[in-house]
Amino acid sequence: MEQNGITRKLARIQMISPVINIFLGAFWVYMGLDSGNMVYWIIGAVFIAISIAWIISIIVRRKRYPIEDPEADKEMVEGLKSGGVALLLIAAGFLAAIGLVLILT
């Protein structure tokens, strides 16, 4: 299997999702322990373990296959910015639609 290199900025950006997932897993663990429901805290613990493994894999990939290319970073950041703007517009549209439904009903 061919491994692709990773830039420093891309590694940082890719770590955002698993870090958020760790907080979500911690919330599930807390809710499971608080309510006494074993299923929630087991799922939360598994979610945390998978997210930690994901972070470790990103770090290992960065150390084994580093890319130091400022142009690739610029292109990647521009692509992520445009994708982020599109997602924000979609989210704003959904929030506006939900708000209108709540106001009109």
Side-chain angles (χ1 to χ4, degrees):
M1 186 164 108
E2 182 181 335
Q3 294 290 331
N4 294 330
I6 187 169
T7 64
R8 177 171 284 139
K9 283 184 183 179
L10 184 60
R12 287 182 186 162
I13 291 171
Q14 285 182 356
M15 281 191 208
I16 292 171
S17 181
V19 167
I20 291 171
N21 288 341
I22 288 174
F23 286 118
L24 180 61
F27 176 72
W28 284 346
V29 167
Y30 171 75
M31 293 304 293
L33 293 174
D34 190 41
S35 68
N37 191 346
M38 188 185 331
V39 174
Y40 282 125
W41 69 264
I42 290 174
I43 291 173
V46 169
F47 211 64
I48 290 171
I50 290 171
S51 298
I52 290 172
W54 188 1
I55 289 174
I56 291 170
S57 74
I58 292 171
I59 292 170
V60 168
R61 195 169 116 203
R62 170 71 182 141
K63 289 191 182 225
R64 286 189 185 166
Y65 308 103
I67 294 178
E68 300 300 332
D69 187 10
E71 291 302 317
D73 276 341
K74 286 180 186 177
E75 289 176 18
M76 184 265 315
V77 169
E78 289 299 320
L80 288 174
K81 283 181 183 177
S82 61
V85 169
L87 285 174
L88 285 174
L89 289 174
I90 291 169
F94 276 115
L95 288 175
I98 291 170
L100 285 174
V101 167
L102 291 174
I103 289 172
L104 298 176
T105 57

